[in-house]
Each structure stands twice: as structure tokens, then as C-alpha cells.
Amino acid sequence: QVQLVESGGGLAPAGGSLRLSCVASESNFKINKMAWYRQPPGKERELVAFITNGGTIKYADGIMGRFTISLDNSKHTVYLQMNSLETEDTAVYYCYLDGWLRQSWSHYWGQGTQVTISS
């Protein structure tokens, strides 16, 4: 079983910055993809950005240019640098991981970290 530990959420003003981190607990896990999703109040969970082990990156519309996702494979850690934050970025942010553990494909979610942007 792999645990994802998220950190870096909190309260920030509009126009400010936050950096989220997510560490996968199992060092033997072979990462295929790590991602950040978010769930705004009263809305469904949505993709923010993902990054593959091969370096492919995708951002949701409206995110690119403000947020940057990066992966440190040696630390099994994915980061999300969020700049120029807007009140619409308020949400619970979830870390996602998929790949192989002992030749079995699996995926995992973090418990979520609250990000609140004040106007």
C-alpha cells in the first residue's frame, strides 16, 4: 500500500502564491504519472495538472502560465507551484499517483489539502 502525504495548502491572498508537495511513501513504487486534482466547493473533482515519468506535462485550461507542476522522481515527490492565485482556485487539492508496485498496476489518492484564496 502506498500513502500520499500532501502539504503546503492553506490561506493565501488573491495574487499570492502557494507551493503544494506530495510525497509517495513507497520508494519501490515505479511512477508512471503523478497529478494534482482539485474539488472546488459544491463542484466535482477536476484535473489541475499531471506529469509523467517521461516528462509529459498537461495543464487544465486556465491553469497554464500560473501553475507549474514538477516531479522529483528520486524523492517520489510531486510539486505544484501556484502563482497569481485567484479566488476561483479555492478548493481541496488532491494528489494522484499511478504506476507499478511489484509488477502490479495501481493508483492512489492523497487525502487532500485545503487551499483558500481570499479576495
Side-chain angles (χ1 to χ4, degrees):
Q1 185 73 11
V2 178
Q3 291 187 333
L4 299 177
V5 180
E6 299 140 331
S7 61
L11 178 65
S17 298
L18 286 172
R19 188 190 194 210
L20 305 183
S21 300
C22 172
V23 181
S25 62
E26 175 56 66
S27 61
N28 291 322
F29 194 91
K30 184 177 179 181
I31 295 171
N32 172 63
K33 179 173 64 187
M34 295 192 78
W36 289 97
Y37 285 73
R38 68 185 182 185
Q39 187 165 14
K43 297 184 179 180
E44 295 186 351
R45 192 175 299 189
E46 60 187 17
L47 175 70
V48 175
F50 73 73
I51 182 168
T52 70
N53 188 41
T56 299
I57 292 174
K58 177 179 172 60
Y59 294 99
D61 292 343
I63 295 298
M64 194 169 181
R66 297 194 300 122
F67 293 4
T68 302
I69 190 169
S70 58
L71 174 64
D72 187 334
N73 214 342
S74 67
K75 296 181 179 179
H76 281 63
T77 301
V78 65
Y79 305 95
L80 186 68
Q81 177 67 44
M82 305 187 293
N83 300 327
S84 302
L85 285 162
E86 303 170 353
T87 56
E88 290 78 12
D89 295 319
T90 294
V92 179
Y93 284 70
Y94 295 91
C95 180
Y96 169 90
L97 163 72
D98 67 37
W100 297 269
L101 181 62
R102 291 183 284 275
Q103 299 183 327
S104 294
W105 176 267
S106 54
H107 70 279
Y108 300 92
W109 290 93
Q111 291 187 329
T113 184
Q114 177 70 46
V115 170
T116 303
I117 309 304
S118 61
S119 59

